[in-house]
Amino acid sequence: MENSLIEKLWESLNPVVVAKGLMIDKLEYAKKGRDYYLTIYVEKEDDVITLDEVCVVSDLISSELDKLDIIQENYILDVSTSGAEKPITDFSKFPKYIGKYIYIKFKFPFSGMNDITGTLEKIEDDTLTISYRVKTRTKYVDVKIDNILKANLAIKF
């Protein structure tokens, strides 16, 4: 769909979401099969969002969309969250994940590994320091950001 619609939707809906202490992570409007879908991913800055919070903000978004009435087609509104294992798509935002448990898949094998799951300890220049456990020992590895294929938050078991 055209970017101007997405921009208008973002501009109009973001204040509604922010007022509830959340943020829009991603907004998509697309035809899937015979139906149009407006999909909005909402997140909390540094915390896990609850189902109740998603439901409340979904109702508010729905009311705001009714007032705006800028989408001509019939569509299905889907408000959700990326979940506890949210993808980290903007690597420049790694500093906000310091102290968090993350998963990183490497572009090229590194230190005998294709990927790593551990705690992001620090960032210096273009290098992340990750701590991870091997049996009862904690080890550290420095990972260059340009060798990261993908990253996401992880759940620690």
Side-chain angles (χ1 to χ4, degrees):
M1 197 70 199
E2 63 184 68
N3 285 338
S4 63
L5 175 62
I6 295 295
E7 289 169 10
K8 286 177 188 172
L9 288 169
W10 192 290
E11 188 178 290
S12 301
L13 299 175
N14 196 47
V16 172
V17 174
V18 169
K20 286 297 175 186
L22 306 174
M23 63 184 205
I24 296 177
D25 189 47
K26 192 158 113 180
L27 189 148
E28 300 171 335
Y29 182 71
K31 188 171 186 177
K32 297 176 186 174
R34 289 187 279 159
D35 297 315
Y36 284 92
Y37 285 83
L38 175 58
T39 306
I40 303 171
Y41 291 94
V42 294
E43 302 294 337
K44 259 190 183 173
E45 183 67 32
D46 291 318
D47 203 358
V48 176
I49 190 169
T50 67
L51 182 58
D52 287 341
E53 289 171 311
V54 173
C55 290
V56 166
V57 82
S58 178
D59 289 343
L60 293 171
I61 287 171
S62 181
S63 294
E64 187 66 22
L65 287 167
D66 289 344
K67 285 186 228 170
L68 289 172
D69 197 28
I70 59 175
I71 300 175
Q72 301 308 309
E73 302 85 11
N74 289 329
Y75 62 93
I76 297 166
L77 175 62
D78 178 17
V79 179
S80 64
T81 179
S82 300
E85 294 186 333
K86 172 186 172 182
I88 302 169
T89 54
D90 183 353
F91 295 166
S92 70
K93 293 186 178 176
F94 270 124
K96 79 177 199 175
Y97 298 109
I98 291 175
K100 302 285 186 190
Y101 202 64
I102 62 173
Y103 167 80
I104 294 176
K105 173 105 173 123
F106 303 127
K107 289 179 185 173
F108 307 103
F110 176 75
S111 295
M113 300 179 284
N114 292 319
D115 57 11
I116 188 168
T117 303
T119 303
L120 177 56
E121 297 292 339
K122 68 179 182 175
I123 301 168
E124 284 185 15
D125 301 319
D126 63 343
T127 304
L128 309 178
T129 300
I130 310 287
S131 67
Y132 64 102
R133 303 282 293 176
V134 176
K135 297 187 181 184
T136 60
R137 294 182 55 212
T138 300
K139 293 190 172 192
Y140 296 87
V141 65
D142 291 329
V143 178
K144 296 279 186 192
I145 289 176
D146 63 2
N147 190 30
I148 297 174
L149 179 63
K150 70 176 192 171
N152 56 270
L153 295 177
I155 298 172
K156 192 172 190 175
F157 293 101

